[in-house]
Amino acid sequence: MFQIAQLGTPTIKSPLELSTVKGDNIFNFITEEDKLVYDLSLENYQNCLSSNSAPVCLEKAGPREHLFFDPRTTKAAIVTCGGLCPGLNNVIRGIVMALHYFYGVKEIVGVRYGYEGLNPEVGHDLMPLTPEVVKNIHHYGGTILGSSRGGQEVTTMVDTLIANDINVLFTIGGDGTLKGANAIGEEIGKRGAQISVVGIPKTIDNDIDIIDKSFGFETSFDIASPIIRDAHNEAAGAMNGIAIIKLMGRDSGFIAASASLAMPEVNYVLIPEMAFNLYGKKGFLELLKSRLEAKKHAVIVVAEGAGQHLIEKETEVVDASGNIQHEDIGLFLKDKIKAYFKDHFPVTIKYIDPSYIVRSAPANSSDSIFCSSLAYQAVHGAMAGKTQFVVGKVNNKFVHLPIAAVTSKRKKVDLESEFWFSVLQSTGQPFSF
């Protein structure tokens, strides 16, 4: 299930001066026998005992004693795709620094503007990357390589990699990017080429399956928290004031829920995983009315993908990445609330959409550490000749996962989880509207 593809047998001694002996106070190389149990539950443990079967395990990430690629002749490329996310530049910097200083790889290039940069007809030249070029980029949001949505012809992209003598391709992106990386890896395999394709999961929505979290996620709700605080001040400053803050979360509500936990002034959190009604005795608008009658103000945080079932659409529109383009739930709620309270009492509504500010911010300290670690682990795995894998944390440990395993479905907020129950306890909202 979690078997990692290998280009060949690693035979080149690693330049890293690490240990193979425990107890000498030097970090040890990771071996292929170093596995981590995936399901840590007592139930799984008992099932394995009763069936006399081995548990499902994950391959531990980290430096290997022997490499597949000779650092002296290795050429690596880095590409960033999809929407912006805090930490992109940190990951780019980490990859370049690890390749250059850990392994002595001298040829590193950046692919400009996503997968477009692997299509020569578009005309984006490859960008040389050195420690001098990337040394300060972690101070800035966005990506120095640029980004784009949508894929290119897989055969064309592989032709470009081969023509430019690329040995390792690091792809930094979300679900669509990783699926593209897997397709590139499959085409490379068909041709018998020896190019490693590595994925570093990037999604501000934190919706990549299996892994604990994706980079940039913590920064996102860190940036959103003071915005919510100020929105609360705005709402409380008016009689029957209502603040609506729309946060990112196309299919998953992790940012909205986490930001609301971090800033507990929020009274209602609406996320894509929950269906809710506007009208009726237990509908959202009636609950909002009761809140205003009692407290005279309310703060609502809504994920961009929430409530789409309430909005009539003539046709569904998709973006270049194949994602359904959602209607603006924030403006929709503002209009419905305004119309509803026209028959009850005056309200003051403020609608705030800080999405582009949040996603363009530089990584905070926690994410910065995480980004560097992801970059280092990706480089270690790539130099050992592993391919079509992503690096991420599972059960708080860095592991390798097949790209196909994390792109089969999107991670969602479990409405029966302790996490969501914590949100409900913080806001005081009911389990359903």
Side-chain angles (χ1 to χ4, degrees), residues 370-388:
F370 186 43
C371 288
S372 294
S373 298
L374 284 170
Y376 300 161
Q377 303 294 2
V379 168
H380 293 319
M383 292 303 294
K386 298 179 185 300
T387 189
Q388 289 178 263

Side-chain angles (χ1 to χ4, degrees), residues 92-212:
I92 295 169
R93 182 186 189 277
I95 293 172
V96 173
M97 294 302 192
L99 286 168
H100 184 94
Y101 288 113
F102 298 176
Y103 290 101
V105 174
K106 303 304 181 187
E107 282 199 274
I108 311 166
V109 296
V111 178
R112 303 302 309 276
Y113 301 108
Y115 285 140
E116 283 185 5
L118 291 176
N119 183 352
E121 292 184 2
V122 179
H124 302 317
D125 293 332
L126 297 177
M127 176 181 179
L129 296 175
T130 65
E132 187 65 25
V133 170
V134 304
K135 66 179 182 180
N136 293 320
I137 64 174
H138 58 294
H139 294 298
Y140 307 100
T143 163
I144 62 163
L145 300 179
S147 187
S148 67
R149 293 189 183 276
Q152 301 293 319
E153 190 67 40
V154 174
T155 54
T156 300
M157 292 192 287
V158 175
D159 287 343
T160 301
L161 293 173
I162 293 174
N164 285 276
D165 299 318
I166 303 299
N167 305 111
V168 181
L169 175 65
F170 295 95
T171 61
I172 310 171
D175 184 74
T177 303
L178 296 177
K179 287 178 178 176
N182 209 40
I184 290 171
E186 289 176 354
E187 177 64 20
I188 289 169
K190 289 177 184 176
R191 299 190 190 190
Q194 294 184 329
I195 303 173
S196 171
V197 180
V198 184
I200 301 176
K202 174 231 72 176
T203 164
I204 199 170
D205 293 349
N206 196 38
D207 60 356
I208 298 292
D209 197 31
I210 300 177
I211 62 173
D212 294 346

Side-chain angles (χ1 to χ4, degrees), residues 115-361:
Y115 285 140
E116 283 185 5
L118 291 176
N119 183 352
E121 292 184 2
V122 179
H124 302 317
D125 293 332
L126 297 177
M127 176 181 179
L129 296 175
T130 65
E132 187 65 25
V133 170
V134 304
K135 66 179 182 180
N136 293 320
I137 64 174
H138 58 294
H139 294 298
Y140 307 100
T143 163
I144 62 163
L145 300 179
S147 187
S148 67
R149 293 189 183 276
Q152 301 293 319
E153 190 67 40
V154 174
T155 54
T156 300
M157 292 192 287
V158 175
D159 287 343
T160 301
L161 293 173
I162 293 174
N164 285 276
D165 299 318
I166 303 299
N167 305 111
V168 181
L169 175 65
F170 295 95
T171 61
I172 310 171
D175 184 74
T177 303
L178 296 177
K179 287 178 178 176
N182 209 40
I184 290 171
E186 289 176 354
E187 177 64 20
I188 289 169
K190 289 177 184 176
R191 299 190 190 190
Q194 294 184 329
I195 303 173
S196 171
V197 180
V198 184
I200 301 176
K202 174 231 72 176
T203 164
I204 199 170
D205 293 349
N206 196 38
D207 60 356
I208 298 292
D209 197 31
I210 300 177
I211 62 173
D212 294 346
K213 66 175 181 178
S214 50
F215 76 84
F217 170 63
E218 285 195 11
T219 301
S220 67
F221 66 80
D222 190 22
I223 298 295
S225 293
I227 296 172
I228 294 172
R229 177 199 63 207
D230 295 343
H232 169 261
N233 295 338
E234 184 70 34
M239 181 69 170
N240 297 321
I242 301 170
I244 304 171
I245 306 98
K246 186 181 78 172
L247 297 177
M248 301 186 82
R250 184 187 293 111
D251 299 298
S252 304
F254 289 104
I255 293 180
S258 298
S260 300
L261 275 175
M263 194 58 61
E265 281 83 0
V266 178
N267 308 116
Y268 301 101
V269 182
L270 307 176
I271 60 174
E273 291 85 347
M274 60 183 288
F276 61 93
N277 295 317
L278 289 178
Y279 304 101
K281 287 186 177 181
K282 294 185 178 181
F284 173 69
L285 293 174
E286 188 64 28
L287 287 170
L288 179 59
K289 176 172 172 286
S290 298
R291 161 77 194 182
L292 292 177
E293 289 172 341
K295 301 294 185 179
K296 308 305 179 187
H297 72 278
V299 178
I300 304 164
V301 170
V302 57
E304 62 180 311
Q308 296 299 311
H309 61 288
L310 302 172
I311 305 173
E312 292 184 7
K313 305 174 190 177
E314 292 183 4
T315 57
E316 282 192 342
V317 179
V318 297
D319 63 19
S321 299
N323 300 307
I324 295 174
Q325 293 273 47
H326 290 318
E327 299 295 324
D328 193 323
I329 184 60
L331 290 176
F332 175 82
L333 281 177
K334 180 182 178 182
D335 291 342
K336 294 299 181 182
I337 291 170
K338 183 178 179 181
Y340 178 80
F341 281 98
K342 186 180 293 185
D343 298 327
H344 295 90
F345 48 78
V347 295
T348 301
I349 308 172
K350 304 295 183 184
Y351 172 48
I352 302 164
D353 181 359
S355 298
Y356 292 103
I357 295 173
V358 171
R359 78 176 196 170
S360 302

